[in-house]
Amino acid sequence: MVEHDVLSATRQAYDAAAAQYAQLFRDELGGMPLDRAILSAFAEVVSASGDGQVADLGCGPGHVTAHLDSLGLAAFGVDTSSAMIELARQAYPALRFDVGSMAALNIPDGVLGGVLTRWSIIHTPPQELPGILAEFHRVLTPGGHVLVGFWAGDDPSHPTQVFDHAVAPAYRWSPDHLAGMLRESGLAEVARMVRQPQPTERRQFQAVHLLACKA
């Protein structure tokens, strides 16, 4: 199977930036109480629905996977960048980390209690996102939850906006549009959190988390 050019380019870019990325973001949650709160809520609803595993898709150096583990979830990480996965395995040797693509997950149907994708869909071309959301639906058990983190666009009339990301081309999304795409994939919105950017954040975009559930 020939790998898509965008996926290949993104993987190579993150391989090259992996060490710097890990250094910059490993402790990011310490200064983000609202992000920790939505992750805690996600952990609670997943735990209440059963004991299924949780996949942190686009896990990078593994710090958020480790945070989910600290919240009592059976979490494992998946990332397209082998360099990121190697750093995650070194930092958190007790946890599982796999190289893989969100577009074709090596996970059986209906086995996950939760899927987290935190700023991992931003490099996905809009025409390819429905296929990825279908993968989320496929691997979730009925009643399983997905939490999607992304940056919101400035103009609600535009579903997506391209922006100049430091590593690879990226997109901002209209929260309502993305919620509609989740719904079309069989994932009904449960809640959303919209956070204004902190003064210290490089990107002065609204940060959005959408929580959705598979019927």
Side-chain angles (χ1 to χ4, degrees):
M1 180 176 175
V2 178
E3 195 171 37
H4 193 282
D5 289 345
V6 172
L7 175 61
S8 179
T10 300
R11 185 193 70 242
Q12 292 172 18
Y14 273 101
D15 279 346
Q20 181 182 12
Y21 188 96
Q23 183 70 24
L24 286 173
F25 294 105
R26 182 170 285 140
D27 299 321
E28 65 168 340
L29 289 176
M32 295 182 170
L34 294 179
D35 291 49
R36 295 198 308 273
I38 194 67
L39 289 171
S40 294
F42 171 69
E44 187 169 342
V45 296
V46 169
S47 297
S49 299
D51 298 323
Q53 289 187 309
V54 173
D56 177 12
L57 303 180
C59 66
H63 57 295
V64 178
T65 314
H67 184 73
L68 295 179
D69 176 74
S70 76
L71 295 174
L73 296 177
F76 66 96
V78 178
D79 201 283
T80 187
S81 166
S82 58
M84 288 287 195
I85 291 297
E86 182 59 31
L87 289 173
R89 289 170 176 168
Q90 292 174 9
Y92 310 103
L95 300 181
R96 169 187 161 194
F97 295 98
D98 300 330
V99 177
S101 167
M102 291 189 296
L105 294 167
N106 187 25
I107 299 172
D109 295 355
V111 298
L112 298 183
V115 166
L116 173 68
T117 170
R118 181 178 164 82
W119 277 264
S120 303
I121 64 165
I122 64 170
H123 301 298
T124 303
Q127 68 272 15
E128 296 185 10
L129 188 57
I132 287 176
L133 299 183
E135 275 290 271
F136 296 171
H137 182 274
R138 180 185 67 79
V139 299
L140 281 171
T141 188
H145 288 77
V146 58
L147 182 63
V148 183
F150 59 99
W151 280 307
D154 296 325
D155 186 349
S157 66
H158 288 78
T160 62
Q161 290 178 262
V162 179
F163 71 95
D164 183 20
H165 191 277
V167 178
Y171 303 85
R172 293 191 282 163
W173 293 84
S174 158
D176 288 340
H177 180 73
L178 190 47
M181 294 180 72
L182 285 165
R183 185 170 56 251
E184 291 171 2
S185 299
L187 300 164
E189 181 181 356
V190 174
R192 71 175 68 180
M193 184 184 78
V194 180
R195 174 177 62 76
Q196 298 302 320
Q198 300 180 62
T200 55
E201 289 184 283
R202 182 182 175 216
R203 299 293 180 189
Q204 291 294 296
F205 303 149
Q206 284 185 331
V208 183
H209 288 82
L210 287 178
L211 179 66
C213 180
K214 177 177 175 177

